[in-house]
């Protein structure tokens, strides 16, 4: 099902920017159910009198707002919340390590199955993703992949899922010097290419950042509001937030490929 929020033509598109986790990859499905409870624990230790639901609401608000940015920014926001409540936060890097250790317990079986070849790569792709990538390459478009996940991890996962080969523009993730790379920096780098303007850019993503950055430069955006891990229906929570930051189209997956490409690239 393709939902048209505002008709926008990508007929002149030259470049496509994809987010990774939740947009293509399902390896890290469940990350939010790891991050948010960890943060609730941290804030609950301050004994402010807030209920768990109140803490969850506050945390989900900033976690969503920063989704798509490097993970460290969510941990910096957590540290700020601790300070705002009168506590003394840990270094955000320590919060990040705690989160990644917990996430690894959830996803390590998926990664190992891919490494060993006991699981086909497409099992951990949003349905129809590979067909879409191949269709975009057939159109002669240049593809870029960017993630807020640490580059060392997401590059391995992109290769294990056999999708890295589609991205002639490169595969980018979070760096140790987190200020040296972001999706905004990448978008600006793309716009410095010869004869590439904002209207030549298409963005696919399930998070705030990639949709907002592409829209701000005049590109066309597709919000992937998929209900993970089945990815057969729209997640209403994601849908609402993606529309709020400027998604032109909303999809649950890429299975209706003909309708999607006809709508995007029609004159």
């Amino acid at each position: 099902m393709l939902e048209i929020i505002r008709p926008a033509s990508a007929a002149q598109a030259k470049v496509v920017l994809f987010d990774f986790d939740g947009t293509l990859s399902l390896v890290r499905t469940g990350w939010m159910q790891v991050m948010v409870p960890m943060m609730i624990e941290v804030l609950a230790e301050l004994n402010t009198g807030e209920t768990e639901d109140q803490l969850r609401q506050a945390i989900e608000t900033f976690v969503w707002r920063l989704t798509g940015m490097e993970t460290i920014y969510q941990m910096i926001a957590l540290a700020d919340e601790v300070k705002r409540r009168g506590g003394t936060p840990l270094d955000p890097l320590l919060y990040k390590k705690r989160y990644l250790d917990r996430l690894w317990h959830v996803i390590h079986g998926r990664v190992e199955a891919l490494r060993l070849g006991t699981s086909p790569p497409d099992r951990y792709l949003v349905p129809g993703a590979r067909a879409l990538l191949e269709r975009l390459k057939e159109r002669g478009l240049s593809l870029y992949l960017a993630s807020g996940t640490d580059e060392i991890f997401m590059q391995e996962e992109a290769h294990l899922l056999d999708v890295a080969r589609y991205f002639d523009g490169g595969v980018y993730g979070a760096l140790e010097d987190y200020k040296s790379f972001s999706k905004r920096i990448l978008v600006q780098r793309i716009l410095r290419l010869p004869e590439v303007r904002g209207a030549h850019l298409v963005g696919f993503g399930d998070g705030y950042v990639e949709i907002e950055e592409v829209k701000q430069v005049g590109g066309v955006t597709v919000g992937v509001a998929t209900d993970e891990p089945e990815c057969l229906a729209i997640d209403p929570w994601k849908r609402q937030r993606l529309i709020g930051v400027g998604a032109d189209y909303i999809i649950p997956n890429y299975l209706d490929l003909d309708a999607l490409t006809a709508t995007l690239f029609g004159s």
Side-chain angles (χ1 to χ4, degrees), residues 195-214:
E195 299 182 357
V196 175
R197 302 189 305 276
H200 297 145
L201 186 59
V202 181
F204 285 83
D206 74 326
Y208 184 107
V209 176
E210 56 271 7
I211 298 298
E212 183 179 55
E213 294 299 334
V214 173

Side-chain angles (χ1 to χ4, degrees), residues 36 39-62 81 84-85:
V36 171
M39 290 182 171
I40 289 174
E41 289 177 17
V42 171
L43 296 185
E45 290 173 357
L46 300 174
N47 296 313
T48 61
E50 294 166 282
T51 67
E52 181 174 323
D53 284 345
Q54 288 172 325
L55 292 174
R56 181 181 303 277
Q57 184 175 0
I59 289 165
E60 286 183 348
T61 297
F62 73 75
E81 291 293 317
R84 194 168 67 82
R85 289 166 172 78

Side-chain angles (χ1 to χ4, degrees), residues 168-180:
D168 56 309
V171 175
Y172 305 92
L175 302 175
E176 186 172 348
D177 176 9
Y178 64 89
K179 293 183 179 180
S180 66

Side-chain angles (χ1 to χ4, degrees), residues 220-238:
V220 176
T221 52
V222 181
V224 186
T226 188
D227 186 10
E228 300 176 43
E230 292 81 7
C231 301
L232 298 177
I234 292 287
D235 181 320
W237 190 84
K238 287 183 181 179

Side-chain angles (χ1 to χ4, degrees), residues 16-29 121-134 136 143-147 154 157-158 161-167 170-171 204-207 210 224 226 228-229 231 238 251-254:
V16 185
L17 173 64
F18 277 90
D19 173 55
F20 186 53
D21 296 307
T23 301
L24 293 177
S25 173
L26 300 176
V27 170
R28 292 173 178 258
T29 290
D122 285 16
R123 177 178 178 182
Y124 294 112
L125 288 176
V126 173
R130 189 176 307 282
L132 171 64
L133 294 173
E134 291 176 351
L136 296 175
L143 306 189
Y144 288 72
L145 183 62
S147 175
M154 65 89 61
E157 290 163 23
L161 293 171
D162 190 31
V163 296
R165 60 190 173 92
Y166 296 107
F167 293 93
V171 175
F204 285 83
D206 74 326
E210 56 271 7
V224 186
T226 188
E228 300 176 43
C231 301
K238 287 183 181 179
I251 56 173
N253 52 51
Y254 308 107

